[in-house]
Amino acid sequence: MTKIISVINNKGGTGKTTTVLNLGAALQRRRKKVLLIDLDSQGNLTSSFAIEVPKVSIGEVLVDGVPVQEAVQKVDKISLIPSRADLLDFETRLANEPGREFMLREILEPLQQSYDYILIDCPPSLGILSINSLVAADQFLVPMQAENFAFIGLDRILQVTDKVRKRMNNQLELAGILFVKLNPRTKFCQAVVKSITDDVRVGKKMFDTYIRQDIALMESAAFHKTVFDYAPKSHGSEDYAHLAKEILKANE
Ligand SMILES: Nc1ncnc2c1ncn2[C@@H]1O[C@H](COP(=O)(O)OP(=O)(O)OP(=O)(O)O)[C@@H](O)[C@H]1O
Ligand SMILES: [Mg+2]
């Protein structure tokens, strides 16, 4: 069965794209068939691959009815549905579609048999594209930095995901909250991690894995590589490999 995981946080720069790219690569290295979807008009996930500006992007598939298979690109062993900057225009048009929250779910149906994991990189908002990802997904994963006010952002995400679960997708589960860019030795990080772990709603849903701060994760995307190809012995490689293992175990 395909698992569709939405990687979501309405705050910017919390490691969503880095997580989709490197968790996807880690799952692929464990022989899973993986599709990544760039649902962000910033196109950072698409730019992490050495491909040209795509002729068919997620926008045409969502709004113009172009068959989804036409948008899938295979880069090394990972499949990608890319995005372009004009996804913003498609997003505006999507707002007028009847059943607009269900468009992504509908277009992914023909791909269900082809992949073990579909990971969706959301934009930094809880707008219509992110809602589409939650309606299409089995699970959502929240990458988060250990910083002041992280808790408030999490509250908002949990409110929205509760509504989506109630109204549009009763399967939707929290895969887990993932601390990223963590410096586990600082007292401040330890205090934030503890405060979130103590929250009864999420206590059991924290990943055991956390992603340490590691410049190799930043550099690798700039060089159009996954961290496994760029720096196989880095903390980033180790941590994302560990996360993949934890996710596979949870979905056994
Ligand atoms: N563990 C890490 N250690 C160091 N740098 C990291 C780490 N994870 C991500 N980064 C860097 O932090 C920046 C933001 O990460 P990323 O682009 O993955 O976040 P995002 O949530 O997708 O951002 P946006 O909301 O803009 O889409 C990038 O420059 C990325 O390379
Ligand atoms: Mg991003």
Side-chain angles (χ1 to χ4, degrees), residues 6-16 40 42 122-127 130-131 134 140-144 147 149-161:
S6 165
V7 177
I8 192 162
N9 192 330
N10 55 328
K11 193 169 179 340
T14 60
K16 295 178 284 297
D40 185 0
Q42 298 182 97
C122 290
S125 83
L126 293 171
S130 296
I131 301 295
L134 294 170
F140 64 102
L141 182 162
V142 185
M144 179 184 254
E147 60 188 9
F149 311 122
F151 212 88
I152 298 172
L154 182 60
D155 265 348
R156 177 89 189 101
I157 295 166
L158 293 177
Q159 278 167 14
V160 169
T161 50

Side-chain angles (χ1 to χ4, degrees), residues 4-248:
I4 304 180
I5 305 179
S6 165
V7 177
I8 192 162
N9 192 330
N10 55 328
K11 193 169 179 340
T14 60
K16 295 178 284 297
T17 303
T18 305
T19 297
V20 168
L21 176 68
N22 293 298
L23 172 61
L27 289 167
Q28 186 277 319
R29 287 161 61 86
R30 290 184 151 256
R31 303 197 190 292
K32 298 297 170 192
K33 284 180 268 168
V34 177
L35 171 68
L36 309 183
I37 301 179
D38 191 346
L39 209 55
D40 185 0
S41 63
Q42 298 182 97
N44 293 343
L45 179 64
T46 304
S47 307
S48 308
F49 291 89
I51 58 169
E52 289 177 7
V53 178
K55 287 206 179 66
V56 181
S57 72
I58 186 70
E60 285 84 0
V61 180
L62 277 176
V63 184
D64 287 343
V66 172
V68 65
Q69 291 86 348
E70 288 183 26
V72 178
Q73 299 205 20
K74 193 118 195 233
V75 191
D76 296 326
K77 290 178 187 139
I78 297 184
S79 297
L80 168 74
I81 300 185
S83 152
R84 281 193 318 254
D86 62 357
L87 181 58
L88 277 178
D89 305 330
F90 286 104
E91 187 176 0
T92 312
R93 287 171 55 205
L94 194 65
N96 294 319
E97 279 295 322
R100 56 190 172 269
E101 294 94 348
F102 294 85
M103 304 296 280
L104 184 65
R105 180 197 278 186
E106 189 178 292
I107 64 149
L108 292 183
E109 257 161 37
L111 298 179
Q112 290 275 354
Q113 307 307 321
S114 312
Y115 299 100
D116 300 309
Y117 282 89
I118 298 179
L119 307 182
I120 307 171
D121 186 21
C122 290
S125 83
L126 293 171
I128 188 68
L129 290 169
S130 296
I131 301 295
N132 261 271
S133 86
L134 294 170
V135 173
D138 301 295
Q139 301 178 344
F140 64 102
L141 182 162
V142 185
M144 179 184 254
Q145 276 175 260
E147 60 188 9
N148 284 339
F149 311 122
F151 212 88
I152 298 172
L154 182 60
D155 265 348
R156 177 89 189 101
I157 295 166
L158 293 177
Q159 278 167 14
V160 169
T161 50
D162 276 351
K163 286 185 187 169
V164 170
R165 188 179 302 109
K166 244 186 241 150
R167 297 175 186 163
M168 290 179 278
N169 179 9
N170 60 16
Q171 314 276 349
L172 184 67
E173 300 178 323
L174 174 58
I177 292 161
L178 175 70
F179 278 113
V180 298
K181 303 190 203 180
L182 202 74
N183 187 345
R185 279 194 227 124
T186 68
K187 283 221 167 81
F188 178 71
C189 278
Q190 288 166 9
V192 177
V193 170
K194 182 168 182 326
S195 75
I196 299 234
T197 313
D198 286 349
D199 183 327
V200 286
R201 293 166 311 162
V202 297
K204 292 208 173 80
K205 284 293 191 176
M206 293 295 310
F207 285 108
D208 291 337
T209 308
Y210 50 80
I211 311 296
R212 286 167 283 185
Q213 181 135 30
D214 183 3
I215 188 82
L217 286 164
M218 200 182 275
E219 290 170 349
S220 53
F223 288 110
H224 309 296
K225 288 188 169 158
T226 70
V227 75
F228 299 100
D229 292 329
Y230 178 76
K233 299 217 166 92
S234 61
H235 284 164
S237 296
E238 202 179 299
D239 295 346
Y240 277 106
H242 203 268
L243 177 65
K245 208 165 151 190
E246 194 176 346
I247 287 181
L248 288 171

